[in-house]
Amino acid sequence: MTALQEAAAHLKDRAPGIASLRQFQRDCEAGLRKSPEEAGFLRLLADLTGRFVDRYDDQPLEVAAAKAAYEKLVRTAERAAAAQRVEEKLAIINELGAADLG
């Protein structure tokens, strides 16, 4: 299992919330060393997650907003982990580069 697949699976096993998102960010950052061939996906996912978590650090976060961010990350991480064709990978990387979780 690749680092991206592991991070996506671990995220999917957690409940939506800031703590789960912060752990996903750490998992992606740790995966950079383990799976350098997935570095683009992992870095972009970690950065996207980190921006969202930092935005709500010490502030109230509606359950719906946390759940929406969580679900978007799960879907995107699973798509990235399953991508086979170069064109598909590039499209997901570009999507992540422009993404915002809310």
Side-chain angles (χ1 to χ4, degrees):
M1 186 178 280
T2 69
L4 182 55
Q5 290 168 330
E6 287 177 9
H10 290 154
L11 177 63
K12 197 171 181 178
D13 288 343
R14 294 184 188 105
I18 292 295
S20 295
L21 296 176
R22 180 68 76 190
Q23 184 59 51
F24 178 70
Q25 179 186 12
R26 286 191 294 265
D27 290 348
C28 288
E29 289 169 346
L32 291 169
R33 293 178 294 283
K34 181 179 177 185
S35 296
E37 69 281 0
E38 297 178 313
F41 287 131
L42 292 164
R43 171 54 55 210
L44 289 168
L45 284 165
D47 290 353
L48 176 64
T49 305
R51 286 192 310 270
F52 181 81
V53 169
D54 290 346
R55 186 177 304 138
Y56 291 101
D57 192 29
D58 295 330
Q59 294 185 30
L61 174 62
E62 293 181 16
V63 173
K67 188 172 181 178
Y70 167 87
E71 289 173 352
K72 183 173 184 175
L73 278 173
V74 168
R75 283 191 313 272
T76 304
E78 287 179 335
R79 282 181 42 231
Q84 298 295 312
R85 297 186 344 266
V86 172
E87 297 82 8
E88 184 181 15
K89 290 179 180 186
L90 182 58
I92 296 169
I93 286 173
N94 285 331
E95 178 185 320
L96 282 169
D100 190 297
L101 294 176

